[in-house]
Amino acid sequence: MTLAPEAPTETSHLQVRTDPDGKPLAIRHDGRIWVVDPGTESQHWSGRDAGWDTRRAPAAGSAGPGSTEHWRVQARLCSTSALRTFTLRREPLSPGWFLADISDGEETTEK
């Protein structure tokens, strides 16, 4: 299953547990807890969104004023379940997380 990035799911049922540096450790989605696989590499990036009011303070732990924070992580329901790739985002001034994309299996990136 893949959600279109143009219309990300903004669900109140999405909760993200992070480490002190803001890296996602676990995701609660659709009543299930997905644990980020420590054996996989997470991707993190930020992008500027001109539509946000940069005069106000960003949410705690976010990338900075006007920056949308993104994480792509691979997570499992249990140690023997298949990996799913979650792309998460956090908007400036928003305390919550949004699901931008979810897909089955490992994502590969070419360098």
Side-chain angles (χ1 to χ4, degrees):
M1 170 175 108
T2 299
L3 298 174
E6 302 83 40
T9 300
E10 297 183 10
T11 173
S12 60
H13 303 291
L14 182 73
Q15 295 175 319
V16 179
R17 180 181 214 180
T18 63
D19 70 9
D21 294 326
K23 179 181 177 182
L25 299 173
I27 302 158
R28 182 185 298 265
H29 174 63
D30 279 347
R32 296 176 147 182
I33 297 175
W34 297 80
V35 178
V36 175
D37 189 318
T40 61
E41 189 174 326
S42 298
Q43 298 174 358
H44 180 236
W45 69 96
S46 297
R48 191 136 179 98
D49 184 350
W52 285 93
D53 181 358
T54 59
R55 294 171 293 184
R56 294 174 51 196
S62 70
S67 292
T68 300
E69 182 178 12
H70 301 269
W71 283 92
R72 182 170 293 133
V73 297
Q74 294 179 334
R76 303 177 187 272
L77 285 173
C78 65
S79 62
T80 58
S81 68
L83 282 171
R84 295 197 77 186
T85 301
F86 289 80
T87 304
L88 309 168
R89 79 173 204 279
R90 185 165 41 187
E91 302 290 346
L93 310 178
S94 174
W97 290 82
F98 301 98
L99 181 60
D101 183 76
I102 185 171
S103 60
D104 293 331
E106 293 186 46
E107 291 287 318
T108 57
T109 14
E110 295 180 19
K111 300 224 176 200

